[in-house]
Amino acid sequence: MTTETTGTAARDGDPRPGGPADSPFIRACRRRPGPHTPVWFMRQAGRSLPEYREIRASVPMLESCRRADLVTEITLQPVRRHGVDAAILFSDIVVPVAAAGIDLDIVPGTGPVVAEPIRSAADVERIRLITRDDVPYVDEAVRQLVVELGDTPLIGFAGAPFTLASYLVEGGPSRTHAKTKALMYGDPELWHALAGRLAEVTLAFLRVQIEAGVSAVQLFDSWAGTLSEADYRRYVLPHSTAVLSGLADDCSGSGRGDRRAEPEQSHAGVPRIHFGVGTAELLGAMGEAGADVVGVDWRTPLDVATGRIGPDKAVQGNLDPCVLLAPWPVVEAEVRRILDQGRAAPGHVFNLGHGVLPETDPEVLTRVVALVHELSSRRADQG
């Protein structure tokens, strides 16, 4: 789909005026000036919102991700309440691997739990490739949301191969990722087979969302920060690159359909955001994976991060989620600091350095959105 409604690029070059493609969020991702710094929050769809908790009170997590009506409603809730500049699809990073045949559940208070962790090549073969028919609820929800959101962009997302592999090898969340690293070091061939298969599943999952109409995508590599740069480059970077470059290929004409090849600077296709936690020493390598925007957690100032990532990428971030629990003067001072540091980047999307904490007061999030808009609009007016 390449229409104003979806916000993806027109076949004849630059995005058509109006719609999500001309929104402050997409303009910042493209390193183009806009009326203000756009803001959205990771995990804004749920967690802290009472209306979300009411919906989820009797619905298990995976079921809520598989019902298009609930996905649509939960995704819209923070847009209505906070006035954020982008919505993010309500889902979970394990949804595509569950669709690919892995027996797992999302256990309250624990997270994803895998019935039979990956241990062998035969286990990897159990992970089948997916198509839109395996996740019809995602396709349906995105199409509904595109209509409901109008000019507000919708962000699709998926988990990166390393983070997904960690869950599948460990059998659930882990503090040390010891089994994951043992597999990487002890059987590199099996590791690359697993990560390669997950890259294919992730790419297919993101393609479903793009074809349905999302305006941008984010690849979450939540656990990549547990690795050294050398290990990241050897064991992770090739597979994340396969996902992000695969999306670029789709949009440049070497993938599907009749989209003709265009120069990279024409910004064909949807913006790609790449995010990880604890990745200060990996930012340069992550920037090489092929994203248009690199997410930065709260540990690294945005001006420092920009120096590591390079001048050809926008940045996203990076308020510490815990700051939102502090008195408002503290929150305001931190927002001002991050906006100041973000000016060093060629494009800045204001966000948290990780997800919204469940105990966050929703009113504080609403005030942060208003403050970011006010401060950055004033700067835009001043040139």
Side-chain angles (χ1 to χ4, degrees):
M1 300 179 74
T2 51
T3 66
E4 281 185 27
T5 304
T6 65
T8 53
R11 292 182 181 175
D12 56 357
D14 285 344
R16 299 182 179 98
D22 198 39
S23 65
F25 169 72
I26 297 297
R27 296 185 71 86
C29 291
R30 299 300 193 199
R31 309 189 305 280
R32 294 172 174 166
H36 59 258
T37 299
V39 53
W40 70 279
F41 305 108
M42 286 180 281
R43 293 179 178 165
Q44 68 184 15
R47 309 252 326 188
S48 67
L49 300 184
E51 53 266 44
Y52 165 77
R53 292 172 180 166
E54 182 179 354
I55 287 177
R56 281 288 322 285
S58 59
V59 183
M61 180 62 180
L62 270 179
E63 181 183 343
S64 68
C65 294
R66 291 168 173 161
R67 287 180 50 181
D69 60 331
L70 293 187
V71 172
T72 299
E73 169 59 23
I74 294 169
T75 301
L76 290 172
Q77 286 175 349
V79 180
R80 297 191 196 110
R81 180 185 275 264
H82 303 311
V84 287
D85 291 287
I88 184 165
L89 183 71
F90 174 74
S91 188
D92 190 274
I93 63 171
V94 299
V95 165
V97 291
I102 295 296
D103 184 5
L104 59 82
D105 193 14
I106 302 175
V107 178
T110 300
V113 175
V114 179
E116 298 180 44
I118 300 297
R119 295 288 183 266
S120 66
D123 293 335
V124 173
E125 288 302 313
R126 291 192 283 114
I127 307 171
R128 59 182 178 80
L129 301 182
I130 65 172
T131 69
R132 180 170 55 189
D133 292 339
D134 294 299
V135 286
Y137 40 86
V138 172
D139 178 79
E140 182 182 353
V142 170
R143 293 180 188 276
Q144 291 175 359
L145 283 162
V146 164
V147 174
E148 293 286 340
L149 287 165
D151 290 347
T152 301
L154 174 63
I155 305 168
F157 79 92
F162 174 78
T163 292
L164 293 177
S166 179
Y167 280 116
L168 297 188
V169 173
E170 301 287 342
S174 170
R175 292 182 180 275
T176 63
H177 306 275
K179 294 176 183 176
T180 305
K181 292 183 179 182
L183 177 60
M184 286 193 323
Y185 300 140
D187 195 342
E189 183 177 354
L190 178 58
W191 168 261
H192 287 296
L194 172 60
R197 177 60 59 89
L198 292 173
E200 293 179 289
V201 171
T202 297
L203 180 56
F205 189 57
L206 290 174
R207 281 172 171 165
V208 170
Q209 297 173 59
I210 290 171
E211 290 295 334
V214 298
S215 296
V217 293
Q218 177 157 307
L219 188 66
F220 282 87
D221 211 351
S222 304
W223 307 133
T226 64
L227 300 174
S228 68
E229 182 181 356
D231 285 347
Y232 178 86
R233 289 185 176 278
R234 180 178 179 185
Y235 297 110
V236 178
L237 182 57
H239 304 292
S240 294
T241 300
V243 175
L244 294 167
S245 64
L247 297 177
D249 289 344
D250 290 344
C251 299
S252 67
S254 57
R256 306 178 311 283
D258 60 355
R259 292 171 180 156
R260 64 182 180 220
E262 297 177 0
E264 184 177 350
Q265 62 266 30
S266 72
H267 303 305
V270 302
R272 296 153 295 163
I273 308 168
H274 195 18
F275 172 75
V277 181
T279 55
E281 299 304 318
L282 307 180
L283 289 172
M286 291 182 69
E288 297 171 19
D292 305 287
V293 184
V294 177
V296 182
D297 74 12
W298 67 92
R299 298 171 178 87
T300 309
L302 290 181
D303 49 354
V304 175
T306 295
R308 296 177 182 179
I309 296 164
D312 60 339
K313 310 286 183 185
V315 297
Q316 179 176 280
N318 66 342
L319 183 69
D320 186 336
C322 292
V323 169
L324 296 173
L325 308 180
W328 177 251
V330 176
V331 177
E332 180 176 355
E334 286 296 288
V335 169
R336 289 177 180 272
R337 178 184 63 82
I338 289 165
L339 285 173
D340 285 341
Q341 293 172 345
R343 299 181 77 180
H348 177 210
V349 176
F350 191 98
N351 207 309
L352 304 182
H354 200 194
V356 175
L357 297 173
E359 59 266 40
T360 304
D361 181 354
E363 179 59 30
V364 175
L365 292 171
T366 304
R367 292 183 70 181
V368 168
V369 173
L371 179 62
V372 170
H373 288 172
E374 176 191 354
L375 295 175
S376 58
S377 296
R378 186 182 309 156
R379 287 172 179 167
D381 292 342
Q382 294 170 350

